Amino acid sequence: ILNVEQSPQSLHVQEGDSTNFTCSFPSSNFYALHWYRWETAKSPEALFVMTLNGDEKKKGRISATLNTKEGYSYLYIKGSQPEDSATYLCARGGVYNQGGKLIFGQGTELSVKP
Amino acid sequence: DVKVTQSSRYLVKRTGEKVFLECVQDMDHENMFWYRQDPGLGLRLIYFSYDVKMKEKGDIPEGYSVSREKKERFSLILESASTNQTSMYLCASSLFRGNSPLHFGNGTRLTVT
């Protein structure tokens, strides 16, 4: 099993704060890096899928970067809102012929206080 | 929008029972997956399937089997439920390509007593 590590495990911020978390993964045989948001009582929802070194993706106040050579990705949230409270999961995809099999990190639990 | 539907939201079973968890997706996705989520351990892959009647073991297949007789349906079977299989089970589907996002169901929280 290839380990995917996320840090921190949990984060408590005030509304309006900007925050970021890290996903570290083995860089060998890399194919794709996924980010998901998992709100309580809902299903995980895909935020980004990135494949290229140096990739940057943005969705509203959330953005992500990817460094495949050193094996890490950052997720940034600008001006956190209470509705951003969720667990953020990253997952690494291996070589293409594994048909989309992903290895997930443990997640970062974000709590945004009004 | 892709819809992935899991048959039960909550399930309570007794030790030794045979348990079926059903998952149906409506977007003609090739890949389907079963994960379990336990506190502090992240999502762990139990089994996946990339085509009808095809299945591959994930990282923790022991005590489980799967069935994929039709493209849209992927069933997880606990042959003889045990208390250490108490967990949240998530089904997901995706297109075959490794850079396609997963679409998840709402999960089934299984308690084995």
Side-chain angles (χ1 to χ4, degrees):
Chain A
I1 298 176
L2 303 172
N3 286 331
V4 176
E5 303 286 341
Q6 290 187 248
S7 62
Q9 287 193 350
S10 65
L11 201 51
H12 300 267
V13 302
Q14 290 293 132
E15 182 175 355
D17 288 350
S18 292
T19 187
N20 65 85
F21 5 104
T22 305
C23 174
S24 304
F25 53 87
S27 54
S28 60
N29 294 322
F30 172 86
Y31 188 74
L33 193 285
H34 297 225
W35 280 101
Y36 293 85
R37 175 171 57 201
W38 192 1
E39 296 177 66
T40 303
K42 295 186 178 180
S43 53
E45 171 193 8
L47 289 172
F48 306 113
V49 179
M50 297 183 287
T51 57
L52 300 176
N53 185 44
D55 229 356
E56 290 189 30
K57 299 240 175 176
K58 189 174 180 182
K59 184 186 266 191
R61 293 178 291 100
I62 303 177
S63 59
T65 61
L66 177 66
N67 183 322
T68 62
K69 293 184 179 179
E70 296 183 36
Y72 64 84
S73 175
Y74 294 136
L75 188 79
Y76 301 92
I77 303 178
K78 185 177 178 182
S80 303
Q81 300 295 311
E83 58 265 30
D84 295 328
S85 297
T87 297
Y88 291 82
L89 300 169
C90 73
R92 176 196 180 278
V95 295
Y96 178 80
N97 63 8
Q98 288 194 355
K101 179 182 172 183
L102 301 178
I103 304 295
F104 280 84
Q106 294 175 326
T108 293
E109 188 176 352
L110 174 66
S111 173
V112 183
K113 292 187 178 179
Chain B
D1 260 2
V2 176
K3 192 161 184 184
V4 179
T5 303
Q6 294 184 230
S7 52
S8 305
R9 187 82 172 109
Y10 298 96
L11 212 51
V12 180
K13 296 291 181 181
R14 294 191 181 277
T15 301
E17 278 193 79
K18 190 167 186 176
V19 181
F20 292 85
L21 302 183
E22 306 286 348
C23 176
V24 177
Q25 51 97 0
D26 65 358
M27 280 300 290
D28 204 34
H29 283 172
E30 294 89 356
N31 293 340
M32 295 190 76
F33 307 84
W34 276 106
Y35 288 90
R36 64 178 281 179
Q37 162 73 18
D38 299 290
L41 294 179
L43 287 175
R44 293 183 292 166
L45 183 64
I46 305 170
Y47 267 97
F48 71 103
S49 168
Y50 52 88
D51 202 352
V52 176
K53 296 192 186 294
M54 304 300 288
K55 60 185 179 185
E56 290 207 19
K57 293 180 180 179
D59 301 317
I60 50 165
E62 296 78 19
Y64 303 95
S65 62
V66 290
S67 171
R68 193 164 181 203
E69 296 296 317
K70 293 185 178 181
K71 191 174 185 179
E72 67 270 19
R73 186 180 296 271
F74 193 37
S75 303
L76 181 70
I77 303 155
L78 286 67
E79 297 289 344
S80 177
S82 63
T83 54
N84 63 11
Q85 292 178 311
T86 292
S87 187
M88 168 69 87
Y89 290 87
L90 283 166
C91 174
S93 72
S94 74
L95 292 170
F96 182 75
R97 302 187 307 274
N99 59 351
S100 296
L102 266 59
H103 298 264
F104 286 90
N106 279 337
T108 296
R109 183 160 300 278
L110 173 68
T111 302
V112 182
T113 61

